[in-house]
Amino acid sequence: MMKFCLYVSVLLGSLAAMSNAATYNGYEQANYSVIQKTDVYEHRRYPASIWVATPQDGAVFDDIGSTAFKRLEDYIEGENSEGSEIEMTVPVITAMSVRTCAFCNATYTMHFYIPRSIAESEVPTPTNSLVDVDSMPAMEVYVRKFSGRADGNDWYREASKLHDDLNAYGINDDQLKMDAFFSVTYDGPWKIMFRRNEVWIMKAASVASE
């Protein structure tokens, strides 16, 4: 009987861990599986998913301020074809793209993850022409985690460190998507300590599909 109780306890603990893995601080989290974990990076696979996205041009990342975030926030608060409110999710990811010239503005495209319950039915259409529903195919990403309150330079610095680490582990540039990376945040601006930040470098699609 004691063995049975122990088994039930372990099983319930495992199920709780599985359910908690889908949330972060009470927010639904984009689902992923870990392919490999090293001392310096994590290799993850994300299934196909739906996000809402908006681009914003700026000379530097810090110039875009809250403009892109506010557009997406307005969408989930009812500025959509259904007038419906959608729960906030994590993470907020921003594609940091390569400039078209040395002095041109860069385009930063911010994304909110659409909850699975809505993605599996019908996603409301944005009423703002600068906001789009983005169906992302399954992808593999290399991830570097760091804490603190990050600014534009921090994202590029951490992405550069991740790139160096990947090269050191034998992952060459032809295995990576080189025209952009993602800055990734999980916490609101009010959180000061133990913030969760990540940078993602995507694995090249031709390699990821093998």
Side-chain angles (χ1 to χ4, degrees):
M1 182 67 179
M2 183 169 291
K3 286 184 178 179
F4 175 77
C5 291
L6 179 60
Y7 170 78
V8 171
S9 177
V10 171
L11 178 60
L12 290 175
S14 298
L15 290 173
M18 288 172 64
S19 63
N20 288 337
T23 64
Y24 174 82
N25 287 346
Y27 295 100
E28 183 176 338
Q29 178 178 206
N31 189 40
Y32 66 88
S33 57
V34 177
I35 297 172
Q36 180 190 23
K37 189 171 184 177
T38 74
D39 292 339
V40 290
Y41 72 84
E42 196 168 85
H43 181 189
R44 298 178 188 164
R45 186 180 192 280
Y46 284 83
S49 53
I50 298 180
W51 303 67
V52 62
T54 188
Q56 183 66 36
D57 291 345
V60 293
F61 179 71
D62 294 337
D63 283 353
I64 72 171
S66 60
T67 305
F69 188 94
K70 186 65 169 66
R71 282 194 211 118
L72 299 181
E73 184 179 48
D74 288 344
Y75 168 81
I76 66 172
E77 289 184 348
E79 287 193 11
N80 55 64
S81 58
E82 303 300 317
S84 59
E85 293 188 4
I86 299 170
E87 291 290 329
M88 184 64 190
T89 58
V90 293
V92 175
I93 67 174
T94 302
M96 317 278 273
S97 301
V98 174
R99 300 174 190 274
T100 56
C101 72
F103 45 82
C104 295
N105 282 345
T107 298
Y108 305 96
T109 305
M110 185 176 289
H111 302 68
F112 282 8
Y113 174 66
I114 296 294
R116 282 180 289 280
S117 60
I118 295 175
E120 289 170 355
S121 54
E122 186 172 350
V123 179
T125 302
T127 55
N128 187 331
S129 61
L130 294 176
V131 178
D132 292 302
V133 174
D134 185 7
S135 297
M136 285 194 181
M139 63 179 178
E140 292 182 23
V141 295
Y142 296 101
V143 180
R144 178 182 176 86
K145 300 179 182 180
F146 65 102
S147 192
R149 192 173 294 278
D151 62 19
N153 288 333
D154 293 323
W155 297 115
Y156 286 99
R157 186 178 300 112
E158 296 297 327
S160 179
K161 289 178 182 177
L162 174 58
H163 177 244
D164 289 344
D165 289 335
L166 294 175
N167 285 172
Y169 271 77
I171 299 167
N172 301 319
D173 288 355
D174 59 359
Q175 298 174 274
L176 304 173
K177 192 173 186 296
M178 299 293 290
D179 60 350
F181 72 93
F182 287 106
S183 65
V184 182
T185 60
Y186 289 80
D187 300 298
W190 56 87
K191 185 172 182 179
I192 300 174
M193 302 287 289
F194 309 112
R195 294 179 62 83
R196 179 181 175 185
N197 308 313
E198 297 174 349
V199 287
W200 297 354
I201 295 178
M202 289 180 63
K203 193 171 186 178
S206 60
V207 179
S209 62
E210 291 178 357

